Every structure is written in structure tokens, then in C-alpha cells.
Amino acid sequence: MSLARHLSRLLLIGLGVLPSATASAEVVRVNVTSRRPLLGGRIFGRTGAYELILGTIDYAVDPASPHNSIIVDLDVAPRNAAGRVEFSGDVMILRPVDASHGNGITLIDVVNRGGRTVLGTFNLATGGGDLSSPAEVGDGLLLERGYTIVFLGWEFDVATGLKLRVPTAPGIKGIAHGLYVAADTGRPIVFSDLNGYTPVDAGASSTTLTVRKGANGMATAVPRESWQLAGNTVTLAAPAQPGRWYELSYAAVNPPIAGLGFAAVRDVAAWTKSSKNALARSTSVLAYGNSQCGRFLRDFLYEGFNTDETNHQALDAVFANVAGASRI
């Protein structure tokens, strides 16, 4: 049995053992930017044709809710007239044109660094693209079985693909740390994990850069006069040393409220089951996360995000694939 079909069986089993729930979601609106027949109306087994919907989702969460209290700095975020914190994110939805031919299950793809994962895993599809070619859709396994698939942005710091746009915490300061393993001698070095973390003073003497041989090597300070910092980018006077581990540390201000990514997944899951107007209407919701996204889903459960603001269950099953033993 192929890996994709083995995992498909696990999906079906997992969804059968957990109860579904109805809930009031904190999805304010879905802004559809485009919709079109998938692959020109291709028929996928008994499910029939699918349509592809692209757009953004506007969210608003209650900072006073105990279900949101664990989100760091949410209490200082800007609020709207109703006292809620607003944010938005990208979404793609694949759904049967005739909903009655679907299986009533929504599968949320917790995208990895903005890129889709479930079609590659279960449909043997190629990565990337706009789903305009058969190779990008794959062999149709999930579609023939009637799943609605929601590809959801949850990361604020990705450069491309599906992302989340979150507010910052005004006036909050802290130390930001970033790690970069040099693959070549190229300059400059971009610490992608620090995208969105603005230095208080890029030229401060307290800003440090160290280098070491491997994860367990002894860290050595890189002389401050031999490099410059601009945003999350370091420019070295000398070439980087391939294979070396560079670690950057600086005081940052107005950090993005990254924890809202958990709320986005929670509230979309609740929305699909509670809203009569949901574009991904379903009775059960499964989330799939691969690698770091599997670790994200572990934290999602461990930190209590599977209960929404109205005390209803959001996800009915979680599939954390090749995620190791750690969390996010």
C-alpha cells in the first residue's frame, strides 16, 4: 500500500472516533478575490467537479476571553470599537461544486512556510503553482473521497504564499534571538526567523553576533565593527564561513502578536461547523500539519486552543506528521 493511501486510511479512522460540535466562530468575513472551476470542471469520481476559491479572512477575537489569555501581548493590542482585536489572513478553499456529493469533512492544511502540504502528501501532487495543472492537483485521492480542503495562512513572517497579518504590541520591548547556518560564503545574512522584529537600535553595542562550529560548538563573538545590522539582515565585512552557526541577538520593539496564528486555525474550524454561510461548510474538521506544522498542532492542543471562545470543540482530529517529539 502506498504511503498516501495508508495515511488516507488514518485520516478516515481519525475522523470517526472524535465527536463533532457546533460553535460560534470569530470569523468576521471572508473576502473572495477569485473563484474558478478546478481543472476546467474535471470530474473526481462520485464527488464530481470542484471549485477553487481564493481570498482572505478577517478575524476579531476577544482579548478578555480566557480562551485567548495565553496569546502573548494580546492584552496590549489595538482594539476596534467593540473591544476586539482584528487581524486577517490568506485562504484557499477546494470544495465540491455540489456540496451534497461531499463527505461533510473539512481538512485544514496548516501550510508550511506559506506552502501547501496535503495535496503533495495524499494526492501525490507536485508542490507550488496555482492548481491550474493536473500535476499540481495530483491523483485526486482526497477529492474523489469528497473532502473540502482549506489551505490556511497562520504565519506572519513568511515572504511568499499564504500568510497571516497580525497587529503589533505597541511599546513592548524584549530580546530577539535568531539562528542562521551558513550554506555558502554569500553576504548578507538574512535571519528569516526574525522577520517582523524591529531593532530598538540597530547600532547598539548590546547587539551581538556569535559564530560556532556546529550546534554544540563554543560560541565566539564576531567583533561589532566587522558587521552591520539592518532590520533582520546582517552584512559581514568578511565572507560567511560555510557550515558555521551564526546567532544574532538584539533588543526589539513592537513585536508581532504571533500567537494569533493558533486563534486563526481554531476559529476557521469553528466557522466551518457553525456558520450557515461558511464556504467550507462541514460537520467535522480535521487539521493536517507536516514537520513544523505538526509541532504547531501539538502546541495548539496542549495550550488549549481546541476550545473556542464559546467553549465548543474546534477540531475533531489532528494529524501531526513527521513532527518529531517537540513542539513549535
Side-chain angles (χ1 to χ4, degrees):
M1 179 182 295
S2 70
L3 173 62
R5 278 149 181 80
H6 176 68
L7 294 177
S8 176
R9 287 191 174 187
L10 291 178
L11 282 172
L12 296 171
I13 293 171
L15 284 166
V17 298
L18 291 174
S20 64
T22 57
S24 174
E26 304 311 316
V27 170
V28 176
R29 69 182 60 84
V30 178
N31 310 294
V32 175
T33 57
S34 70
R35 61 195 309 166
R36 59 177 168 84
L38 181 66
L39 298 182
R42 172 180 163 183
I43 301 301
F44 293 91
R46 296 180 179 178
T47 311
Y50 268 75
E51 66 173 338
L52 174 64
I53 300 172
L54 279 67
T56 60
I57 296 179
D58 294 337
Y59 307 87
V61 298
D62 181 4
S65 170
H67 298 296
N68 298 323
S69 62
I70 197 170
I71 300 176
V72 175
D73 294 330
L74 186 64
D75 57 328
V76 300
R79 306 183 187 190
N80 63 18
R84 291 181 167 261
V85 175
E86 299 177 337
F87 58 107
S88 67
D90 299 324
V91 67
M92 295 177 65
I93 299 173
L94 274 178
R95 69 174 191 177
V97 171
D98 187 341
S100 67
H101 290 174
N103 63 10
I105 300 169
T106 290
L107 171 57
I108 294 179
D109 184 351
V110 182
V111 298
N112 198 333
R113 294 170 177 83
R116 301 184 303 268
T117 67
V118 298
L119 294 182
T121 300
F122 299 106
N123 279 18
L124 306 180
T126 58
D130 60 359
L131 299 184
S132 60
S133 72
E136 294 165 356
V137 176
D139 64 10
L141 176 70
L142 294 174
L143 309 185
E144 291 174 357
R145 284 156 176 76
Y147 287 95
T148 292
I149 306 175
V150 174
F151 308 93
L152 188 65
W154 63 273
E155 297 167 282
F156 73 90
D157 58 348
V158 294
T160 60
L162 300 166
K163 68 181 297 181
L164 196 69
R165 286 163 285 278
V166 301
T168 59
I172 298 297
K173 296 180 181 180
I175 303 300
H177 299 275
L179 184 66
Y180 177 89
V181 181
D184 52 43
T185 59
R187 302 191 297 264
I189 294 175
V190 178
F191 288 81
S192 58
D193 288 345
L194 296 179
N195 183 27
Y197 291 92
T198 305
V200 174
D201 179 3
S205 59
S206 59
T207 298
T208 62
L209 180 69
T210 64
V211 61
R212 64 183 189 268
K213 296 180 180 180
N216 299 316
M218 180 69 70
T220 301
V222 180
R224 190 65 183 87
E225 65 274 10
S226 66
W227 58 279
Q228 295 181 336
L229 174 65
N232 64 331
T233 300
V234 167
T235 301
L236 296 165
Q241 301 175 68
R244 296 295 197 269
W245 291 47
Y246 290 85
E247 186 166 3
L248 175 67
S249 176
Y250 61 84
V253 65
N254 305 333
I257 303 178
L260 287 170
F262 291 107
V265 172
R266 176 196 67 193
D267 292 343
V268 165
W271 166 72
T272 68
K273 293 190 287 187
S274 67
S275 173
K276 295 180 180 180
N277 298 319
L279 294 176
R281 188 85 171 107
S282 58
T283 56
S284 299
V285 184
L286 167 73
Y288 174 82
N290 190 68
S291 189
Q292 71 150 345
C293 302
R295 299 193 295 275
F296 168 92
L297 285 172
R298 286 209 185 97
D299 263 355
F300 179 92
L301 296 177
Y302 296 158
E303 304 294 358
F305 283 99
N306 206 35
T307 302
D308 75 356
E309 290 186 8
T310 59
N311 291 317
H312 290 91
Q313 180 174 309
L315 299 174
D316 299 294
V318 161
F319 196 141
N321 188 46
V322 295
S326 61
R327 293 188 243 169
I328 195 70

